[in-house]
Amino acid sequence: MASAVLEAVENNTLSIEPVGLQPVRFVKASAVECGGPKKCALSGQSKSCKHRIKLGDSSSYYYISPFCRYRITSVCNFFTYIRYIQQGLVKQQDADQMFWEVMQLRKEMSLAKLGYYKEEL
């Protein structure tokens, strides 16, 4: 699963979306209808999964915890910025500014890897 996520990030085909809460019904609702399962597809931890990912053109979704979401989004932000530099879309004239932006994105990836993330995500 982790290698498929990495490949989707590198190919820019990964999508992350919040799990929409369905209205409460009178019948017993499944875990998906109540806002996602209680187990993260990547870490296997029993956590409330508020987001789901879709890999490439696949029609299946995987529910992920806030911790995994923050790790994935920090890596996606890094890859996107590097991709923008390669394509010439970054209009900063100073290479020093681009360097410090890359360092900030690397810091965010390191903090996410250590487990620091915003609870409200």
Side-chain angles (χ1 to χ4, degrees):
M1 177 74 179
S3 61
V5 170
L6 178 61
E7 184 179 334
V9 168
E10 290 174 350
N11 295 331
N12 201 23
T13 59
L14 178 106
S15 64
I16 300 176
E17 60 187 39
V19 175
L21 295 176
Q22 301 290 329
V24 178
R25 298 180 183 163
F26 293 107
V27 296
K28 185 176 180 181
S30 68
V32 174
E33 293 171 339
C34 292
K38 300 290 182 192
K39 189 169 185 180
C40 178
L42 285 172
S43 65
Q45 295 178 342
S46 297
K47 297 248 181 184
S48 177
C49 299
K50 299 177 183 177
H51 291 83
R52 62 184 185 173
I53 59 173
K54 183 178 175 183
L55 305 175
D57 295 332
S58 172
S59 62
S60 59
Y61 288 92
Y62 301 98
Y63 292 91
I64 56 173
S65 64
F67 169 70
C68 289
R69 179 199 178 269
Y70 190 65
R71 286 185 73 175
I72 291 170
T73 55
S74 64
V75 171
C76 287
N77 290 340
F78 177 78
F79 270 95
T80 301
Y81 189 73
I82 296 298
R83 197 175 292 124
Y84 286 168
I85 291 173
Q86 289 176 339
Q87 294 172 353
L89 298 174
V90 177
K91 299 296 181 189
Q92 295 173 346
Q93 298 170 352
D94 189 13
D96 193 45
Q97 291 175 339
M98 287 189 286
F99 170 79
W100 287 112
E101 181 64 25
V102 169
M103 289 297 109
Q104 178 63 30
L105 293 170
R106 289 182 65 193
K107 177 183 173 186
E108 288 177 15
M109 284 192 299
S110 298
L111 290 174
K113 188 175 182 180
L114 291 172
Y116 295 106
Y117 65 95
K118 297 176 184 170
E119 290 290 334
E120 63 268 6
L121 294 177

